[in-house]
Amino acid sequence: MHYLYKNYLHQFENFNKKRKNKKSCKNAAIIVETRPLWELPLVIKNFAYFNEDFNYYFIGTDETINYVKNHVSNLEYFLIKRDNTTSFISFYNYLLKKISFWEMFEEENLLIFQADALALKPINLKSFDFGFVGAVCGELSDDLSIFDMNGGCSLRKKEETLKCLVNTPSSSTEPEDVFFTRKMRRMNLKMPTFDECQSFSVESVFKKGAIRPCCIHGISNFYLQTSEIKKWIA
């Protein structure tokens, strides 16, 4: 992980503002993790610092739940069982393509984030009124109208997400974000443009210029140049 990311995350180490999930809240921030990664509590604090108007949920094993509880307070927890013979990525994609996963949450707007994501500023939900919005990735059409979106830091509508899963078998090896991008386009649901995606989140593909996204995804993969990182987090 780039030293700039580490320095940025450690700014939130002492962030312990008291908060509580509310039944009246329509927004949920959700992270699934079965590995006790060192950055995990800091990433949760980072997102909670910028995005207070969300209920926060952690889905993990006994080990990761106990680990997070020691560092972060006021989260709701869901215990899951993972077959350790299966990679975390395969398990994650399997989990997010199950109707039962999405039905765990009562909220309408679901922010999915992973331990390799960073929050840079608050998310204005009115600006991202789509079934699914995430960082641009995958193959791009020449006019930038067709692309995949990464789900590792993404905002989704529960209703549209469930529509995609009804009577829709998915390849067990297909990444969940590719599945949802493809399915929502096929169903002619409202989808974001390239520019709207990069205003929300950036991974490796974005237009150069004066943008400052709400989030970054893939911080452990060194997608971004140091010069770009410094513009946003230094």
mmCIF file of all heavy atoms in Angstrom, residues 101-138:
data_model
loop_
_atom_site.group_PDB
_atom_site.id
_atom_site.type_symbol
_atom_site.label_atom_id
_atom_site.label_comp_id
_atom_site.label_asym_id
_atom_site.label_seq_id
_atom_site.Cartn_x
_atom_site.Cartn_y
_atom_site.Cartn_z
ATOM 1 N N PHE A 101 -28.811 -11.842 0.826
ATOM 2 C CA PHE A 101 -27.852 -10.842 1.297
ATOM 3 C C PHE A 101 -28.490 -9.464 1.315
ATOM 4 O O PHE A 101 -28.447 -8.749 2.321
ATOM 5 C CB PHE A 101 -26.605 -10.837 0.406
ATOM 6 C CG PHE A 101 -25.655 -9.710 0.725
ATOM 7 C CD1 PHE A 101 -24.763 -9.829 1.777
ATOM 8 C CD2 PHE A 101 -25.668 -8.537 -0.010
ATOM 9 C CE1 PHE A 101 -23.894 -8.790 2.099
ATOM 10 C CE2 PHE A 101 -24.801 -7.486 0.296
ATOM 11 C CZ PHE A 101 -23.914 -7.620 1.351
ATOM 12 N N TRP A 102 -29.095 -9.073 0.216
ATOM 13 C CA TRP A 102 -29.662 -7.731 0.097
ATOM 14 C C TRP A 102 -30.906 -7.554 0.971
ATOM 15 O O TRP A 102 -31.214 -6.445 1.414
ATOM 16 C CB TRP A 102 -29.975 -7.430 -1.365
ATOM 17 C CG TRP A 102 -28.739 -7.534 -2.219
ATOM 18 C CD1 TRP A 102 -28.362 -8.600 -2.997
ATOM 19 C CD2 TRP A 102 -27.698 -6.564 -2.341
ATOM 20 N NE1 TRP A 102 -27.160 -8.347 -3.599
ATOM 21 C CE2 TRP A 102 -26.725 -7.103 -3.210
ATOM 22 C CE3 TRP A 102 -27.489 -5.293 -1.801
ATOM 23 C CZ2 TRP A 102 -25.570 -6.405 -3.564
ATOM 24 C CZ3 TRP A 102 -26.345 -4.602 -2.141
ATOM 25 C CH2 TRP A 102 -25.396 -5.156 -3.011
ATOM 26 N N GLU A 103 -31.601 -8.654 1.230
ATOM 27 C CA GLU A 103 -32.799 -8.572 2.060
ATOM 28 C C GLU A 103 -32.475 -8.396 3.547
ATOM 29 O O GLU A 103 -33.370 -8.159 4.347
ATOM 30 C CB GLU A 103 -33.659 -9.817 1.854
ATOM 31 C CG GLU A 103 -34.362 -9.824 0.488
ATOM 32 C CD GLU A 103 -35.255 -11.034 0.298
ATOM 33 O OE1 GLU A 103 -34.999 -12.067 0.976
ATOM 34 O OE2 GLU A 103 -36.183 -10.955 -0.534
ATOM 35 N N MET A 104 -31.209 -8.487 3.916
ATOM 36 C CA MET A 104 -30.832 -8.246 5.310
ATOM 37 C C MET A 104 -31.004 -6.784 5.698
ATOM 38 O O MET A 104 -31.102 -6.455 6.881
ATOM 39 C CB MET A 104 -29.364 -8.657 5.543
ATOM 40 C CG MET A 104 -29.107 -10.140 5.526
ATOM 41 S SD MET A 104 -27.463 -10.569 6.197
ATOM 42 C CE MET A 104 -26.365 -9.782 5.028
ATOM 43 N N PHE A 105 -31.066 -5.904 4.710
ATOM 44 C CA PHE A 105 -31.057 -4.472 4.980
ATOM 45 C C PHE A 105 -32.407 -3.851 4.635
ATOM 46 O O PHE A 105 -32.968 -4.103 3.571
ATOM 47 C CB PHE A 105 -29.939 -3.805 4.186
ATOM 48 C CG PHE A 105 -28.626 -4.527 4.312
ATOM 49 C CD1 PHE A 105 -28.162 -5.330 3.279
ATOM 50 C CD2 PHE A 105 -27.888 -4.438 5.480
ATOM 51 C CE1 PHE A 105 -26.969 -6.023 3.399
ATOM 52 C CE2 PHE A 105 -26.694 -5.132 5.612
ATOM 53 C CZ PHE A 105 -26.231 -5.926 4.571
ATOM 54 N N GLU A 106 -32.905 -3.022 5.532
ATOM 55 C CA GLU A 106 -34.184 -2.347 5.332
ATOM 56 C C GLU A 106 -34.027 -1.044 4.543
ATOM 57 O O GLU A 106 -34.989 -0.531 3.979
ATOM 58 C CB GLU A 106 -34.835 -2.036 6.686
ATOM 59 C CG GLU A 106 -35.151 -3.255 7.531
ATOM 60 C CD GLU A 106 -36.230 -4.123 6.893
ATOM 61 O OE1 GLU A 106 -37.080 -3.571 6.172
ATOM 62 O OE2 GLU A 106 -36.218 -5.342 7.135
ATOM 63 N N GLU A 107 -32.826 -0.502 4.508
ATOM 64 C CA GLU A 107 -32.586 0.796 3.892
ATOM 65 C C GLU A 107 -32.706 0.743 2.366
ATOM 66 O O GLU A 107 -32.571 -0.324 1.754
ATOM 67 C CB GLU A 107 -31.189 1.321 4.275
ATOM 68 C CG GLU A 107 -31.009 1.573 5.765
ATOM 69 C CD GLU A 107 -30.630 0.352 6.562
ATOM 70 O OE1 GLU A 107 -30.623 -0.763 5.991
ATOM 71 O OE2 GLU A 107 -30.349 0.492 7.767
ATOM 72 N N GLU A 108 -32.921 1.903 1.757
ATOM 73 C CA GLU A 108 -33.106 1.994 0.308
ATOM 74 C C GLU A 108 -31.785 2.184 -0.433
ATOM 75 O O GLU A 108 -31.572 1.611 -1.506
ATOM 76 C CB GLU A 108 -34.028 3.173 -0.029
ATOM 77 C CG GLU A 108 -35.429 3.066 0.540
ATOM 78 C CD GLU A 108 -36.246 4.327 0.317
ATOM 79 O OE1 GLU A 108 -35.763 5.220 -0.419
ATOM 80 O OE2 GLU A 108 -37.353 4.418 0.863
ATOM 81 N N ASN A 109 -30.912 3.031 0.105
ATOM 82 C CA ASN A 109 -29.645 3.364 -0.542
ATOM 83 C C ASN A 109 -28.514 2.611 0.158
ATOM 84 O O ASN A 109 -28.294 2.786 1.355
ATOM 85 C CB ASN A 109 -29.390 4.871 -0.469
ATOM 86 C CG ASN A 109 -30.538 5.674 -1.040
ATOM 87 O OD1 ASN A 109 -30.913 5.505 -2.203
ATOM 88 N ND2 ASN A 109 -31.117 6.553 -0.224
ATOM 89 N N LEU A 110 -27.794 1.780 -0.596
ATOM 90 C CA LEU A 110 -26.810 0.890 -0.003
ATOM 91 C C LEU A 110 -25.413 1.212 -0.527
ATOM 92 O O LEU A 110 -25.120 1.022 -1.708
ATOM 93 C CB LEU A 110 -27.164 -0.565 -0.310
ATOM 94 C CG LEU A 110 -28.603 -0.984 0.040
ATOM 95 C CD1 LEU A 110 -28.845 -2.442 -0.344
ATOM 96 C CD2 LEU A 110 -28.898 -0.759 1.521
ATOM 97 N N LEU A 111 -24.577 1.715 0.353
ATOM 98 C CA LEU A 111 -23.183 2.006 0.026
ATOM 99 C C LEU A 111 -22.350 0.782 0.364
ATOM 100 O O LEU A 111 -22.231 0.405 1.528
ATOM 101 C CB LEU A 111 -22.701 3.221 0.821
ATOM 102 C CG LEU A 111 -21.206 3.560 0.738
ATOM 103 C CD1 LEU A 111 -20.814 3.922 -0.693
ATOM 104 C CD2 LEU A 111 -20.857 4.690 1.699
ATOM 105 N N ILE A 112 -21.796 0.149 -0.663
ATOM 106 C CA ILE A 112 -20.940 -1.016 -0.475
ATOM 107 C C ILE A 112 -19.492 -0.545 -0.554
ATOM 108 O O ILE A 112 -19.086 0.083 -1.536
ATOM 109 C CB ILE A 112 -21.189 -2.080 -1.561
ATOM 110 C CG1 ILE A 112 -22.668 -2.492 -1.600
ATOM 111 C CG2 ILE A 112 -20.295 -3.296 -1.341
ATOM 112 C CD1 ILE A 112 -23.159 -3.209 -0.373
ATOM 113 N N PHE A 113 -18.707 -0.831 0.483
ATOM 114 C CA PHE A 113 -17.297 -0.474 0.404
ATOM 115 C C PHE A 113 -16.442 -1.597 0.957
ATOM 116 O O PHE A 113 -16.899 -2.415 1.756
ATOM 117 C CB PHE A 113 -17.014 0.860 1.121
ATOM 118 C CG PHE A 113 -17.197 0.846 2.615
ATOM 119 C CD1 PHE A 113 -16.100 0.845 3.469
ATOM 120 C CD2 PHE A 113 -18.468 0.866 3.193
ATOM 121 C CE1 PHE A 113 -16.253 0.853 4.843
ATOM 122 C CE2 PHE A 113 -18.634 0.883 4.569
ATOM 123 C CZ PHE A 113 -17.527 0.878 5.397
ATOM 124 N N GLN A 114 -15.205 -1.651 0.484
ATOM 125 C CA GLN A 114 -14.287 -2.708 0.875
ATOM 126 C C GLN A 114 -13.079 -2.117 1.589
ATOM 127 O O GLN A 114 -12.900 -0.894 1.640
ATOM 128 C CB GLN A 114 -13.840 -3.505 -0.359
ATOM 129 C CG GLN A 114 -14.970 -4.244 -1.043
ATOM 130 C CD GLN A 114 -14.529 -4.912 -2.342
ATOM 131 O OE1 GLN A 114 -13.546 -4.531 -2.958
ATOM 132 N NE2 GLN A 114 -15.287 -5.920 -2.761
ATOM 133 N N ALA A 115 -12.233 -2.987 2.112
ATOM 134 C CA ALA A 115 -11.081 -2.532 2.885
ATOM 135 C C ALA A 115 -10.027 -1.848 2.022
ATOM 136 O O ALA A 115 -9.108 -1.223 2.549
ATOM 137 C CB ALA A 115 -10.457 -3.704 3.637
ATOM 138 N N ASP A 116 -10.145 -1.955 0.703
ATOM 139 C CA ASP A 116 -9.201 -1.264 -0.179
ATOM 140 C C ASP A 116 -9.832 -0.021 -0.806
ATOM 141 O O ASP A 116 -9.513 0.361 -1.930
ATOM 142 C CB ASP A 116 -8.672 -2.201 -1.269
ATOM 143 C CG ASP A 116 -9.767 -2.724 -2.188
ATOM 144 O OD1 ASP A 116 -10.968 -2.590 -1.829
ATOM 145 O OD2 ASP A 116 -9.438 -3.261 -3.257
ATOM 146 N N ALA A 117 -10.732 0.624 -0.057
ATOM 147 C CA ALA A 117 -11.380 1.848 -0.515
ATOM 148 C C ALA A 117 -11.086 2.983 0.458
ATOM 149 O O ALA A 117 -10.783 2.750 1.636
ATOM 150 C CB ALA A 117 -12.887 1.639 -0.632
ATOM 151 N N LEU A 118 -11.170 4.200 -0.048
ATOM 152 C CA LEU A 118 -11.007 5.397 0.773
ATOM 153 C C LEU A 118 -12.137 6.359 0.482
ATOM 154 O O LEU A 118 -12.548 6.510 -0.670
ATOM 155 C CB LEU A 118 -9.692 6.114 0.450
ATOM 156 C CG LEU A 118 -8.364 5.474 0.790
ATOM 157 C CD1 LEU A 118 -7.226 6.410 0.388
ATOM 158 C CD2 LEU A 118 -8.278 5.156 2.268
ATOM 159 N N ALA A 119 -12.624 7.030 1.517
ATOM 160 C CA ALA A 119 -13.590 8.121 1.347
ATOM 161 C C ALA A 119 -12.825 9.437 1.375
ATOM 162 O O ALA A 119 -11.960 9.640 2.236
ATOM 163 C CB ALA A 119 -14.635 8.088 2.455
ATOM 164 N N LEU A 120 -13.148 10.327 0.431
ATOM 165 C CA LEU A 120 -12.468 11.611 0.334
ATOM 166 C C LEU A 120 -13.345 12.782 0.734
ATOM 167 O O LEU A 120 -12.848 13.820 1.161
ATOM 168 C CB LEU A 120 -11.966 11.841 -1.100
ATOM 169 C CG LEU A 120 -11.044 10.776 -1.686
ATOM 170 C CD1 LEU A 120 -10.628 11.189 -3.100
ATOM 171 C CD2 LEU A 120 -9.823 10.576 -0.813
ATOM 172 N N LYS A 121 -14.661 12.624 0.574
ATOM 173 C CA LYS A 121 -15.599 13.688 0.917
ATOM 174 C C LYS A 121 -16.989 13.078 1.054
ATOM 175 O O LYS A 121 -17.221 11.935 0.637
ATOM 176 C CB LYS A 121 -15.586 14.786 -0.146
ATOM 177 C CG LYS A 121 -16.033 14.333 -1.531
ATOM 178 C CD LYS A 121 -15.953 15.484 -2.540
ATOM 179 C CE LYS A 121 -16.456 15.057 -3.915
ATOM 180 N NZ LYS A 121 -16.361 16.155 -4.895
ATOM 181 N N PRO A 122 -17.940 13.819 1.622
ATOM 182 C CA PRO A 122 -19.304 13.266 1.776
ATOM 183 C C PRO A 122 -19.946 12.955 0.428
ATOM 184 O O PRO A 122 -19.692 13.635 -0.573
ATOM 185 C CB PRO A 122 -20.049 14.401 2.488
ATOM 186 C CG PRO A 122 -18.995 15.205 3.158
ATOM 187 C CD PRO A 122 -17.795 15.140 2.261
ATOM 188 N N ILE A 123 -20.771 11.934 0.430
ATOM 189 C CA ILE A 123 -21.512 11.542 -0.770
ATOM 190 C C ILE A 123 -22.853 12.265 -0.789
ATOM 191 O O ILE A 123 -23.641 12.145 0.150
ATOM 192 C CB ILE A 123 -21.741 10.017 -0.803
ATOM 193 C CG1 ILE A 123 -20.407 9.283 -0.874
ATOM 194 C CG2 ILE A 123 -22.634 9.624 -1.977
ATOM 195 C CD1 ILE A 123 -20.519 7.790 -0.639
ATOM 196 N N ASN A 124 -23.096 13.022 -1.839
ATOM 197 C CA ASN A 124 -24.388 13.682 -2.031
ATOM 198 C C ASN A 124 -25.301 12.704 -2.758
ATOM 199 O O ASN A 124 -25.185 12.513 -3.972
ATOM 200 C CB ASN A 124 -24.211 14.968 -2.832
ATOM 201 C CG ASN A 124 -25.510 15.735 -3.009
ATOM 202 O OD1 ASN A 124 -26.598 15.209 -2.750
ATOM 203 N ND2 ASN A 124 -25.424 16.973 -3.457
ATOM 204 N N LEU A 125 -26.207 12.079 -2.034
ATOM 205 C CA LEU A 125 -27.037 11.025 -2.611
ATOM 206 C C LEU A 125 -27.887 11.523 -3.775
ATOM 207 O O LEU A 125 -28.163 10.773 -4.720
ATOM 208 C CB LEU A 125 -27.928 10.409 -1.532
ATOM 209 C CG LEU A 125 -27.192 9.639 -0.433
ATOM 210 C CD1 LEU A 125 -28.157 9.225 0.656
ATOM 211 C CD2 LEU A 125 -26.491 8.425 -1.007
ATOM 212 N N LYS A 126 -28.288 12.788 -3.751
ATOM 213 C CA LYS A 126 -29.119 13.328 -4.826
ATOM 214 C C LYS A 126 -28.367 13.379 -6.146
ATOM 215 O O LYS A 126 -28.993 13.359 -7.215
ATOM 216 C CB LYS A 126 -29.620 14.726 -4.453
ATOM 217 C CG LYS A 126 -30.606 14.732 -3.294
ATOM 218 C CD LYS A 126 -31.092 16.148 -2.997
ATOM 219 C CE LYS A 126 -32.084 16.158 -1.840
ATOM 220 N NZ LYS A 126 -32.544 17.539 -1.521
ATOM 221 N N SER A 127 -27.054 13.425 -6.083
ATOM 222 C CA SER A 127 -26.244 13.488 -7.302
ATOM 223 C C SER A 127 -26.039 12.115 -7.924
ATOM 224 O O SER A 127 -25.568 12.020 -9.069
ATOM 225 C CB SER A 127 -24.879 14.107 -6.992
ATOM 226 O OG SER A 127 -25.025 15.425 -6.515
ATOM 227 N N PHE A 128 -26.359 11.062 -7.188
ATOM 228 C CA PHE A 128 -26.097 9.703 -7.671
ATOM 229 C C PHE A 128 -27.346 8.842 -7.536
ATOM 230 O O PHE A 128 -27.351 7.808 -6.872
ATOM 231 C CB PHE A 128 -24.924 9.101 -6.894
ATOM 232 C CG PHE A 128 -23.675 9.930 -6.955
ATOM 233 C CD1 PHE A 128 -23.241 10.639 -5.848
ATOM 234 C CD2 PHE A 128 -22.947 10.031 -8.137
ATOM 235 C CE1 PHE A 128 -22.099 11.425 -5.896
ATOM 236 C CE2 PHE A 128 -21.800 10.814 -8.207
ATOM 237 C CZ PHE A 128 -21.376 11.523 -7.086
ATOM 238 N N ASP A 129 -28.405 9.286 -8.189
ATOM 239 C CA ASP A 129 -29.704 8.615 -8.111
ATOM 240 C C ASP A 129 -29.796 7.542 -9.191
ATOM 241 O O ASP A 129 -30.509 7.677 -10.182
ATOM 242 C CB ASP A 129 -30.828 9.640 -8.262
ATOM 243 C CG ASP A 129 -32.204 9.038 -8.030
ATOM 244 O OD1 ASP A 129 -32.284 8.021 -7.322
ATOM 245 O OD2 ASP A 129 -33.189 9.582 -8.568
ATOM 246 N N PHE A 130 -29.019 6.461 -9.002
ATOM 247 C CA PHE A 130 -28.953 5.379 -9.973
ATOM 248 C C PHE A 130 -29.124 4.037 -9.263
ATOM 249 O O PHE A 130 -28.915 3.941 -8.052
ATOM 250 C CB PHE A 130 -27.603 5.386 -10.706
ATOM 251 C CG PHE A 130 -27.242 6.707 -11.309
ATOM 252 C CD1 PHE A 130 -26.325 7.542 -10.701
ATOM 253 C CD2 PHE A 130 -27.839 7.131 -12.494
ATOM 254 C CE1 PHE A 130 -25.990 8.764 -11.252
ATOM 255 C CE2 PHE A 130 -27.521 8.360 -13.063
ATOM 256 C CZ PHE A 130 -26.590 9.179 -12.436
ATOM 257 N N GLY A 131 -29.453 3.016 -10.045
ATOM 258 C CA GLY A 131 -29.531 1.682 -9.468
ATOM 259 C C GLY A 131 -28.185 1.203 -8.979
ATOM 260 O O GLY A 131 -28.091 0.443 -8.019
ATOM 261 N N PHE A 132 -27.121 1.678 -9.645
ATOM 262 C CA PHE A 132 -25.764 1.239 -9.323
ATOM 263 C C PHE A 132 -24.803 2.277 -9.888
ATOM 264 O O PHE A 132 -24.898 2.661 -11.051
ATOM 265 C CB PHE A 132 -25.544 -0.135 -9.967
ATOM 266 C CG PHE A 132 -24.169 -0.749 -9.802
ATOM 267 C CD1 PHE A 132 -23.282 -0.318 -8.833
ATOM 268 C CD2 PHE A 132 -23.773 -1.784 -10.628
ATOM 269 C CE1 PHE A 132 -22.035 -0.900 -8.689
ATOM 270 C CE2 PHE A 132 -22.532 -2.387 -10.501
ATOM 271 C CZ PHE A 132 -21.652 -1.938 -9.521
ATOM 272 N N VAL A 133 -23.885 2.750 -9.060
ATOM 273 C CA VAL A 133 -22.815 3.623 -9.546
ATOM 274 C C VAL A 133 -21.527 3.246 -8.829
ATOM 275 O O VAL A 133 -21.508 3.040 -7.620
ATOM 276 C CB VAL A 133 -23.149 5.123 -9.346
ATOM 277 C CG1 VAL A 133 -23.399 5.456 -7.885
ATOM 278 C CG2 VAL A 133 -22.056 6.015 -9.918
ATOM 279 N N GLY A 134 -20.457 3.112 -9.604
ATOM 280 C CA GLY A 134 -19.149 2.766 -9.054
ATOM 281 C C GLY A 134 -18.074 3.230 -10.004
ATOM 282 O O GLY A 134 -18.351 3.813 -11.056
ATOM 283 N N ALA A 135 -16.839 2.969 -9.663
ATOM 284 C CA ALA A 135 -15.718 3.397 -10.494
ATOM 285 C C ALA A 135 -15.733 2.684 -11.842
ATOM 286 O O ALA A 135 -16.027 1.487 -11.925
ATOM 287 C CB ALA A 135 -14.401 3.123 -9.770
ATOM 288 N N VAL A 136 -15.408 3.407 -12.901
ATOM 289 C CA VAL A 136 -15.322 2.822 -14.239
ATOM 290 C C VAL A 136 -14.187 1.803 -14.270
ATOM 291 O O VAL A 136 -13.091 2.041 -13.757
ATOM 292 C CB VAL A 136 -15.068 3.919 -15.290
ATOM 293 C CG1 VAL A 136 -14.785 3.292 -16.650
ATOM 294 C CG2 VAL A 136 -16.259 4.865 -15.371
ATOM 295 N N CYS A 137 -14.455 0.660 -14.890
ATOM 296 C CA CYS A 137 -13.424 -0.365 -15.049
ATOM 297 C C CYS A 137 -13.763 -1.224 -16.258
ATOM 298 O O CYS A 137 -14.792 -1.030 -16.904
ATOM 299 C CB CYS A 137 -13.309 -1.227 -13.790
ATOM 300 S SG CYS A 137 -14.787 -2.201 -13.411
ATOM 301 N N GLY A 138 -12.904 -2.180 -16.564
ATOM 302 C CA GLY A 138 -13.179 -3.100 -17.668
ATOM 303 C C GLY A 138 -12.993 -2.458 -19.030
ATOM 304 O O GLY A 138 -12.360 -1.411 -19.174
#
